[in-house]
Structures are given as structure tokens and as C-alpha cells.
Amino acid sequence: AKAAQGELAAELLDDGLPAPEIQALLSHINNDIYRRVTDFCIAGLETEGRGAPPVEFSVIVMGSGGRGENFIYPDQDNGFIIADYPDQEHNRIDGYFMELANRLVTTLDTVGLPLCRSYCMAVNPLWRKTLAQWSRQLDGWWRKRNRVSLQLSNIFLDFQPVWERNRELSSDLRAHITAMLRQDRAFLRAMYQETSDHNVALGLFGGFITEKENPQYRGQINLKHHALLPLVEAVRLLSLREGVEQTSTLARLEALDDLGVLEANALEELQSAFVHTANLLFRQQIDDFRIGKKVTYFVHPKSLTKRTREQLAEAMKAIDRLRDWVRADVTV
């Protein structure tokens, strides 16, 4: 199933399916792989006499998986929310989940979801905690508001459950996040400042700013980092401030528009910016996939038609306007 995703995405894009719908499908497939692998690993532990999970737990995915916005070949970003248990049971219970996490991430890597280079996986105790521990850790990150805690928060805040028998674990943690951050303007301000240099790749006079340092990608644009990410981050900040609990960027935009937060015509502009940029990125990834080239997030503007370049520039301008507005609104 994992190996077939590249061809599936190519066929769907060739058939004219919008990129966000392909992203949602790929995310659904990847999340189903998570569920099947989790069941497989639990069954293995039971067969070996280690028993079923000692308490309820939830497997969560973060980042683009949590937003339902996977491209081709995402890596792992996962964690566990574990039901609270007595402290004296820690070695026994966490020992079980540590072994389950090891098997989970190893098997996912084997089937085509590579290990996270930043170690954002359930094998890291930072991402494997009880519900109470998660609440305390998040509260600590929000109080500190230093660079590390802000970066960790950015990774975590788009989480979604992919395997759980008790939805209260993930829903309770989401409710805690919503209640706390809706009131914490200082933290939201710090989050914006941490990402303030994530700019779109447009110069003062409307020309594209391309890669200059890495010779392998010189003259190209990283559309994930310099178009989609600035949009995702700005929409996330507004959503946290307004108590919007959806995690996908397009769903957040619609919720913000329903709340009357967005300026006139902004919804259509930003939806178009997201779809157009994601379409370009998918097309480049699929072209690279078909010729056996490394799949990345770089696109060369010279490979685009004049009209497509103009549309990309308009998309970036819309994202830049949103960021300017968020900066003025959140940092006051």
C-alpha cells in the first residue's frame, strides 16, 4: 500500500483531482498504515506473553499528518497519549509502551514511513506521556516561551489520533490546549515571533527569491518552506486564538471565515493560494518520482509557464498579506 502511493498520487493529479484532496487521501492511507502496524505490534507482544496494553492509550500523528496534508514520502511524527496510572506502576507500564513504541517506529520505517531525523517519535519520552504528564509538559512549554519550547509546540499542536479505543484521551488533551491558548496572548505572540523569518519567496519588487547557498537547488524555490509553511503557521495562530479545533489548513480557514475573523475576500484568496501551491508542489514531486529523482519540496520557477508563475506570485502575495495582518493583530 505504501509503495503504491506515488503512482496513485500521479494518476489522481493527472485526472485533475485538486492537491488537497490527494493530500487528504494519502494522509488517510498513512494513518491506516499506522493503525494496522499498531495492531500488528500489539498482537506480537500478546503472542510473546507480554499481554495487552496495560492501560488505554492513543497513538497520535503530528505535523502534516495531523493536518491531513501529507505529500509523497513523509517521515514519522508520532507520539502516545497514555491514560493516567499510579506512579508506582511506572516501570511496568512505561516499559510496555517503550517496547511497543520501538516496534511501531521500526515497522513503520520498514514499510516506507522513515524515521524522523528530529526524533519526534514515541520512542522519545518527550512524545510518550500520560494525559496528566502531557498537560504539565505543555503548560511548561507555554510558560517558558523559549526557542526550544516554541519549536516543540509548533510540531505538536496539529496532532490528531490515528489509533485509540478511548477518544477521551485525545479529546481531553485538545480541549486543554484550546482552553489554555485561547487566553494566552503572550504565548501566541511568542509563537509568531519564533516563525517571523518564515517568509514567502518574494522580493520587494515582486520577483522570486530563489535558493543561493545550496548548489544542488540553486535557482529553485522550496515551496513548502517559503509558501505553504508561512500560510499554515499564520492560520494555526489565528485558529488557536479563536478556539478553532480543526487541524487542516483549509478547514481552519473556513472556520475562521464562519467566525467573521477573516477580511473580505480573504477566504477565497487563501484557499486558492493553498490549492495552487500544493498543486505545483505535487506536480514537481510526481515528475521527480517518475524519473527516479529524489523527491523534495523544490520547484524551479523557470520550469513553470508564465501564467503559472504569475499565479504563484499572487498566491505568495496573499499569504504575505495574511502574515502582515496576523503580525499586527497578534503582536500588539
Side-chain angles (χ1 to χ4, degrees), residues 1-2 5-6 8-9 12 17-36 60-75 77 108 113 158 160-163 247-249 274 282 297:
K2 183 61 185 169
Q5 283 191 8
L8 173 64
L12 294 175
L17 198 69
E21 295 186 33
I22 304 174
Q23 288 180 291
L25 178 59
L26 294 185
S27 301
H28 176 79
I29 294 171
N30 289 330
N31 292 347
D32 190 52
I33 291 172
Y34 264 95
R35 284 186 284 273
R36 294 181 187 215
I60 59 172
V61 293
M62 300 171 283
S64 63
R67 294 191 302 275
E69 294 168 4
N70 280 160
F71 284 97
I72 302 176
Y73 302 140
D75 62 1
D77 286 298
L108 289 170
L113 281 160
D158 293 336
Q160 280 293 323
V162 292
W163 188 102
T247 57
S248 85
T249 303
F274 185 92
F282 249 126
Y297 299 106

Side-chain angles (χ1 to χ4, degrees), residues 103-166:
R103 297 185 184 207
L104 176 70
V105 304
T106 301
T107 308
L108 289 170
D109 183 48
T110 300
V111 302
L113 281 160
L115 302 174
C116 175
R117 288 175 292 181
S118 300
Y119 210 43
C120 298
M121 299 175 292
V123 287
N124 183 346
L126 190 69
W127 307 106
R128 185 184 71 251
K129 296 191 175 298
T130 66
L131 181 60
Q133 289 168 344
W134 268 115
S135 296
R136 289 195 296 270
Q137 177 166 274
L138 293 171
D139 293 346
W141 288 351
W142 300 336
R143 283 195 308 272
K144 291 176 184 176
R145 297 198 293 273
N146 57 32
R147 187 181 186 94
V148 172
S149 63
L150 293 168
Q151 289 174 342
L152 294 174
S153 296
N154 263 330
I155 294 169
F156 179 74
L157 286 170
D158 293 336
F159 86 88
Q160 280 293 323
V162 292
W163 188 102
E164 61 182 356
R165 294 194 178 104
N166 181 357

Side-chain angles (χ1 to χ4, degrees), residues 123 127 140 158 164 181-182 193 222 259 277 316:
V123 287
W127 307 106
D158 293 336
E164 61 182 356
L181 292 188
R182 197 170 189 175
Q193 291 166 346
N222 187 320
L259 291 170
T277 307
M316 289 185 176

Side-chain angles (χ1 to χ4, degrees), residues 271-283:
Q271 287 174 326
S272 177
F274 185 92
V275 172
H276 182 70
T277 307
N279 273 333
L280 286 180
L281 193 41
F282 249 126
R283 174 54 63 196

Side-chain angles (χ1 to χ4, degrees), residues 80-84 129-138 168-174 176:
F80 289 171
I81 307 171
I82 303 168
D84 295 328
K129 296 191 175 298
T130 66
L131 181 60
Q133 289 168 344
W134 268 115
S135 296
R136 289 195 296 270
Q137 177 166 274
L138 293 171
E168 290 182 6
L169 290 171
S170 60
S171 62
D172 284 356
L173 189 55
R174 176 60 66 188
H176 176 77

Side-chain angles (χ1 to χ4, degrees), residues 82 270 279 294 304:
I82 303 168
L270 295 170
N279 273 333
K294 181 181 178 182
L304 308 175

